[in-house]
Amino acid sequence: MKVLVVAGTRPEVIKLAPVLWGLKQRGITHVFATTGQHYDDLLFKKFIDDLSLDEPDFNIEVGSASPAVQTGKAMIGLEELLKSENPDVVVVEGDTNSVLAAALAAVKLKIPVAHVEAGLRSRDRTMPEEINRILADHCSELLFAPTEESALNLINEGIPPAKIHIVGNTIVDAALSIVRRSMETSGRYKDFPRGYILLTLHRAENTDDTRRLESIFSALGDIDRNIVFPIHPRTSKIIDGTELEKHLVAEHIHLIPPVGYLDFLGLLKNAFAVLTDSGGVQEEAITLDVPCLTLRYNTERPETVLAGGNIVVGTEKEKILENLALLSDPAIYEKMKKASNPYGDGKAGERIVGILVEKQENGELLVESSDTREVQHFRKIIKVNDSLEGKKVGDCGFEIIRIIDNGRQRFPSLDFILKKGMHIEVLVRD
Ligand code: UD1
Ligand code: UDP
């Protein structure tokens, strides 16, 4: 089997590292390519080094551009690469323009796509990431959902359960393995006096809206703790030379360049709390027991909120300060810190590699042609009766696409045991 792994940006390098580690460990032939969407050393090369990865074998060098130009250039470059490398599967992660480009280029060449972190939905279609992740999911043959919630999003959009595997999130693997090293080594920011707030801010819906930036930055002025703010180049370029910059000139605000993964996890682990609009940081915060306030109006990581470790506070100054004040209550603070991690046990990377190997060995790593399927199919709802009671989904002889258990939807994993009174939706092929 030959695997092509594509990572274009900082979070993709981080979340694909556990897959690359697993491929290397098992001696599986693989090629690592970057689109070059992130090209600054502080957003890319530093992560290759911190995560002990080999340099990418190929770089498409798309750089920064408008969405269509960036995605289009990446598709053109990746198409050439896919034709020359002819991999059995292309592995992508997340929701950036690079992911969309790789997924589209591959599926159009009938090369199966495996999407890591499939099924996340914010339901906010103004976010570039939401469009990218929906399209990438629908281009994919193998969908690695981090949680049952994300797997349900996929089946509700008509993706067959057989393509979906709930494996946890690879960020847990990456964060747990690197935070240990981060705590053992002497990082630049390690001795920063405790009690600070860590801040990250780069999402387009915030950076491209001056009113929101103004509101978030003016809240910072009223926070009576140190704030450490490793600033994303997107954000620094937008505020550079504007009135907004003045908000960040205060003794308690420590504006620093983006930091590598070892330094960032050290900063996060030692923080009192994190304020962020990042996806990955919401996941790492609950993994490392750090209360998180999300500077957005929605999240595609609702599991973190339901678990109690994250509050979606929006971008209004008063709301940010109000929610931060809640953390001064030790009971609330401890509860947020102790929220259980919904993203698994840190073995997602191993699981993903295991499933890729199994699919390849079973001859299932392919984009199926419609003439290998039925002419027509329809859906039927069945109530679980005596004859189905106690049977596993995988053993009951039906293609189950949905389970309703006491009003709650459940994912039809092959080992899910059916119980009387449940309803199942089955796909009948004609
Ligand atoms: C991209 C992703 C976003 C992800 C983020 C991770 C899309 C649509 N967005 O956002 O989902 O959360 O990566 O960090 O794919 N720039 C540099 N150096 C670089 C790269 C970018 O200075 O190495 C600056 C450029 O001014 C560029 C701007 O950042 O125009 C935005 O870069 P871009 O890759 O388009 O999107 P991100 O904001 O990084
Ligand atoms: N990160 C980092 N250094 C920084 C800021 C973030 O290492 O200065 C890491 C962070 O640990 C997380 C990842 O970058 O894993 C998140 O990337 P980002 O916020 O850029 O993208 P998103 O997750 O929102 O797509």
Side-chain angles (χ1 to χ4, degrees):
M1 172 167 68
K2 182 176 186 182
V3 182
L4 175 62
V5 179
V6 183
T9 66
R10 163 169 85 183
E12 291 159 69
V13 174
I14 295 169
K15 290 179 180 177
L16 284 171
V19 176
L20 286 161
W21 296 336
L23 290 170
K24 193 168 179 178
Q25 206 176 355
R26 292 183 66 159
I28 296 165
T29 308
H30 61 282
V31 177
F32 178 26
T34 176
T35 57
Q37 179 173 345
H38 280 178
Y39 42 85
D40 282 346
D41 281 357
L42 287 179
L43 288 192
F44 199 85
K45 169 87 171 76
K46 183 79 182 102
F47 290 82
I48 299 290
D49 295 343
D50 279 4
L51 288 146
S52 311
L53 296 173
D54 295 328
E55 289 284 332
D57 304 293
F58 297 96
N59 187 341
I60 311 289
E61 294 184 358
V62 296
S64 302
S66 68
V69 172
Q70 193 174 56
T71 311
K73 269 172 123 176
M75 277 187 76
I76 294 166
L78 285 167
E79 186 181 64
E80 285 308 307
L81 182 63
L82 289 166
K83 281 183 182 162
S84 63
E85 289 299 315
N86 195 23
D88 294 294
V89 62
V90 173
V91 181
V92 295
E93 183 284 329
D95 52 21
T96 65
N97 290 341
S98 296
V99 176
L100 173 61
L104 268 174
V107 72
K108 282 178 183 288
L109 291 175
K110 301 181 184 61
I111 299 172
V113 177
H115 189 200
V116 177
E117 203 178 66
L120 274 62
R121 295 291 181 267
S122 66
R123 320 208 189 275
D124 177 354
R125 291 173 67 89
T126 65
M127 287 178 70
E129 292 84 3
E130 183 75 354
I131 305 302
N132 291 342
R133 58 174 86 96
I134 292 172
L135 295 175
D137 281 337
H138 285 260
C139 288
S140 298
E141 293 305 309
L142 272 172
L143 296 103
F144 294 114
T147 61
E148 182 173 13
E149 172 97 24
S150 43
L152 291 175
N153 286 334
L154 295 169
I155 57 176
N156 290 337
E157 289 175 12
I159 293 177
K163 290 185 174 187
I164 303 165
H165 301 268
I166 302 172
V167 292
N169 196 314
T170 55
I171 194 107
V172 182
D173 318 20
L176 292 183
S177 101
I178 302 301
V179 78
R180 211 171 306 135
R181 254 174 59 208
S182 171
M183 289 293 139
E184 283 160 12
T185 52
S186 54
R188 260 179 309 166
Y189 303 102
K190 210 158 164 217
D191 298 327
F192 202 86
R194 300 291 172 94
Y196 60 87
I197 306 269
L198 181 63
L199 167 71
T200 82
L201 192 73
H202 75 286
R203 285 302 180 92
E205 66 263 34
N206 286 332
T207 60
D208 299 0
D209 183 334
T210 310
R211 203 190 52 80
R212 283 194 186 182
L213 280 183
E214 171 82 40
S215 172
I216 295 168
F217 287 172
S218 71
L220 301 182
D222 285 5
I223 294 175
D224 58 356
R225 288 178 179 274
N226 277 319
I227 297 170
V228 182
F229 182 14
I231 189 163
H232 191 288
R234 175 189 191 100
T235 317
S236 52
K237 284 177 184 164
I238 284 175
I239 65 168
D240 197 20
T242 70
E243 288 293 305
L244 288 164
E245 257 186 332
K246 294 195 184 124
H247 288 290
L248 302 178
V249 185
E251 212 170 308
H252 71 295
I253 301 179
H254 304 268
L255 200 60
I256 58 174
V259 296
Y261 204 42
L262 274 165
D263 279 334
F264 188 83
L265 290 185
L267 274 172
L268 180 60
K269 182 73 191 153
N270 288 341
F272 170 75
V274 62
L275 290 181
T276 192
D277 60 5
S278 160
V281 176
Q282 290 173 62
E283 296 159 347
E284 286 162 348
I286 202 160
T287 302
L288 301 181
D289 305 324
V290 180
C292 179
L293 301 188
T294 296
L295 301 167
R296 291 175 41 188
Y297 291 91
N298 51 57
T299 179
E300 55 294 309
R301 276 99 176 160
E303 298 90 339
T304 57
V305 179
L306 294 173
N310 183 13
I311 308 175
V312 175
V313 299
T315 62
E316 300 305 323
K317 176 179 176 177
E318 291 69 29
K319 288 277 170 221
I320 297 170
L321 295 174
E322 250 170 51
N323 281 286
L324 203 50
L326 287 179
L327 304 190
S328 311
D329 178 334
I332 296 179
Y333 185 73
E334 278 310 304
K335 211 168 159 206
M336 285 189 80
K337 265 174 87 77
K338 287 192 180 133
S340 69
N341 185 358
Y343 294 119
D345 55 3
K347 295 200 165 100
E350 265 175 59
R351 270 185 210 108
I352 290 168
V353 173
I355 293 166
L356 290 175
V357 170
E358 189 190 311
K359 292 280 166 189
Q360 164 73 3
E361 285 173 357
N362 294 344
E364 291 169 356
L365 217 46
L366 37 90
V367 181
E368 277 181 282
S369 156
S370 61
D371 63 8
T372 63
R373 287 178 174 257
E374 80 292 343
V375 184
Q376 220 186 351
H377 62 246
F378 59 92
R379 291 159 184 238
K380 210 167 144 182
I381 310 263
I382 297 176
K383 195 166 180 183
V384 175
N385 55 16
D386 284 337
S387 68
L388 287 174
E389 158 82 19
K391 281 205 169 146
K392 286 188 180 166
V393 164
D395 299 334
C396 72
F398 297 123
E399 192 173 338
I400 299 181
I401 50 175
R402 205 182 307 265
I403 297 172
I404 304 292
D405 175 14
N406 212 1
R408 181 177 164 216
Q409 190 181 356
R410 300 299 310 271
F411 183 77
S413 300
L414 295 181
D415 56 0
F416 186 100
I417 296 171
L418 298 175
K419 297 217 168 62
K420 246 165 79 175
M422 290 179 177
H423 287 83
I424 55 176
E425 184 178 346
V426 299
L427 195 66
V428 183
R429 297 182 184 279
D430 222 355

